[in-house]
């Protein structure tokens, strides 16, 4: 895929970490139908891209994403059922279907505004780090709609009941520090440290066995909706699947290094992937 032809998304690779940047800074990276279509293509392309070990989702300028584009995604499509249908499909496909099941680790690097619909991709990412002064808000209530399009679901699953209802009903904005306090994100850092902190996390993930990471994220997301018995059986099957699929036989290698060679401590870091 030729990323240079994209108009609303930027893709840049840096030592195994691929930055995917929503790129409509003049509209605070609000999501237009075109952005949804382009993101579907980008994520499909990067899923099996050999140069991408970790994906970082961020925004151009001083905004992460100002939610759906109220003009282009809503008003302009109100009387165009077919375009609206296709835009809604793409919108759901990249923000949830593709991103939440992405086969590699994903990090939301929240560099500024994060409003409304942007919460879906925030929760779809495995990790989230924000600038201390980023601004978050469930602003739907402020313009007479509900947090739909999965927002209501992800906040009820991912936040405490009290916080989800508070922010959905008041629309009150809050900063990165508060977002970390309520565990909407992993942590917030001073703005000038945001990229370095994100890269440090990405680089630590890139050192780990990719098949193991993929199986862990798939498994953790799936067991949430299962009974204890289903989860026990499913996790056993995933463990066996991982051993079968892992091209570097990580489990056997790790056991040898710990039990036989005594060259590493699993509690303190990963096994030496470049050794037998
Ligand atoms: N949809 C469409 N256009 C948007 C959106 C949006 N969600 N957000 C910003 N823009 C546009 C503005 O209309 C403006 O366009 P213009 O220059 O052509 O007039 C431009 O982006 C810059 O916006 P300003 O408001 O001038 O920028 P400022 O930095 O002062 O404020 C802020 C940024 C706080 C993000 C403000 O634009 C805002 O409140 N946007 C709406 C955020 C929101 O509620 N999103 C949820 C939408 S609902 C949903 O996602 C389901």
């Amino acid at each position: 895929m030729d990323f240079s032809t994209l108009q609303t998304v930027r893709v840049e690779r840096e030592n195994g970490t691929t930055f995917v940047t929503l790129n409509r800074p003049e509209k605070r990276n609000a999501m237009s139908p075109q952005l949804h279509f382009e993101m579907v293509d980008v994520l499909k392309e990067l899923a099996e891209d050999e140069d991408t070990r970790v994906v970082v989702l961020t925004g151009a300028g001083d905004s992460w994403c100002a939610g759906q584009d109220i003009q282009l995604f809503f008003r302009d499509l109100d009387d165009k059922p077919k375009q609206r249908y296709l835009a809604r499909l793409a919108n759901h496909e990249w923000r949830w279907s593709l991103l939440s099941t992405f086969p590699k680790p994903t990090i939301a690097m929240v560099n500024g505004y994060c409003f409304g619909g942007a919460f879906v991709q925030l929760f779809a990412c495995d990790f989230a780090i924000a600038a201390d002064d980023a601004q978050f808000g469930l602003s739907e209530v402020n313009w007479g709609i509900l947090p739909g399009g999965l927002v209501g679901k992800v906040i009820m699953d991912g936040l405490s009941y009290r916080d989800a209802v508070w922010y959905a009903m008041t629309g009150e904005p809050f900063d990165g520090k508060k977002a970390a306090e309520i565990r909407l994100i992993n942590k917030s850092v001073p703005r000038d440290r945001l990229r370095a902190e994100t890269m440090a996390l990405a680089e630590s993930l890139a050192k780990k066995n990719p098949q193991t990471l993929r199986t862990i994220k798939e498994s953790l997301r799936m067991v949430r909706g299962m009974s204890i018995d289903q989860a026990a059986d499913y996790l056993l099957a995933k463990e066996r699947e991982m051993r079968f699929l892992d091209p570097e036989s990580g489990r056997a290698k790790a056991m040898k290094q710990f039990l036989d060679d005594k060259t590493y401590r699993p509690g303190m870091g990963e096994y030496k992937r470049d050794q037998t």
Side-chain angles (χ1 to χ4, degrees):
M1 180 181 177
D2 181 3
F3 293 125
S4 69
T5 61
L6 298 169
Q7 290 172 27
T8 62
V9 182
R10 214 167 58 220
V11 177
E12 291 150 310
R13 295 189 179 91
E14 191 178 324
N15 302 328
T17 298
T18 298
F19 284 81
V20 175
T21 304
L22 304 188
N23 192 21
R24 303 184 67 226
E26 70 290 353
K27 298 289 181 185
R28 306 299 181 261
N29 307 319
M31 296 178 283
S32 63
Q34 185 182 7
L35 183 144
H36 292 311
F37 295 127
E38 290 190 348
M39 279 301 295
V40 168
D41 293 342
V42 165
L43 291 181
K44 284 183 179 170
E45 182 71 20
L46 294 179
E48 297 299 340
D49 173 44
E50 287 185 357
D51 297 327
T52 299
R53 302 287 306 269
V54 177
V55 161
V56 173
L57 183 64
T58 191
D62 60 1
S63 179
W64 193 63
C65 174
Q68 298 290 2
D69 189 305
I70 293 169
Q71 179 75 43
L72 299 179
F73 187 78
F74 288 113
R75 183 190 268 174
D76 286 1
L77 300 186
D78 274 350
D79 56 355
K80 297 188 184 72
K82 184 170 177 196
Q83 283 100 315
R84 176 131 183 87
Y85 172 75
L86 295 174
R88 285 176 75 85
L89 277 187
N91 146 71
H92 182 75
E93 188 177 10
W94 83 262
R95 292 187 311 146
W96 196 254
S97 308
L98 293 172
L99 193 56
S100 72
T101 64
F102 198 74
K104 299 162 183 179
T106 51
I107 306 173
M109 184 173 92
V110 184
N111 55 308
Y113 298 122
C114 173
F115 284 112
F119 276 60
V120 174
Q121 62 261 36
L122 183 66
F123 275 109
C125 286
D126 303 317
F127 302 89
I129 304 179
D132 288 337
D133 61 354
Q135 287 287 307
F136 295 80
L138 291 166
S139 54
E140 288 89 341
V141 65
N142 293 341
W143 65 286
I145 64 165
L146 74 151
L150 268 198
V151 176
K153 174 69 176 154
V154 295
I155 60 169
M156 289 307 286
D157 286 349
L159 292 177
S160 77
Y161 177 81
R162 288 287 171 225
D163 287 324
V165 174
W166 180 281
Y167 289 109
M169 292 187 69
T170 64
E172 188 179 290
F174 52 98
D175 65 12
K177 289 181 179 173
K178 184 71 185 177
E181 188 188 314
I182 65 172
R183 307 308 294 150
L184 171 61
I185 60 172
N186 295 103
K187 61 178 172 179
S188 79
V189 297
R191 174 167 294 273
D192 60 2
R193 296 280 316 142
L194 181 60
R195 196 177 170 98
E197 294 273 345
T198 305
M199 276 308 276
L201 174 61
E203 280 164 10
S204 78
L205 291 165
K207 285 190 195 139
K208 298 189 186 294
N209 181 325
Q211 186 61 48
T212 310
L213 286 175
R214 178 176 187 159
T215 312
I216 288 173
K217 67 178 279 187
E218 284 170 2
S219 305
L220 294 184
R221 282 196 181 265
M222 290 305 287
V223 293
R224 287 202 293 184
M226 292 183 189
S227 70
I228 293 283
D229 288 344
Q230 287 169 331
D233 191 51
Y234 168 82
L235 289 170
L236 183 61
K238 289 298 276 187
E239 169 67 31
R240 289 173 177 160
E241 175 203 278
M242 188 174 67
R243 267 191 260 166
F244 180 70
L245 290 177
D246 183 4
E248 62 184 56
S249 301
R251 182 175 181 273
K253 210 182 261 191
M255 278 201 214
K256 177 174 180 294
Q257 290 179 17
F258 182 59
L259 299 175
D260 304 332
D261 307 343
K262 300 197 179 296
T263 52
Y264 101 115
R265 295 187 295 163
M268 307 307 289
E270 56 272 346
Y271 65 90
K272 294 168 188 66
R273 296 181 58 214
D274 53 352
Q275 288 177 18
T276 51

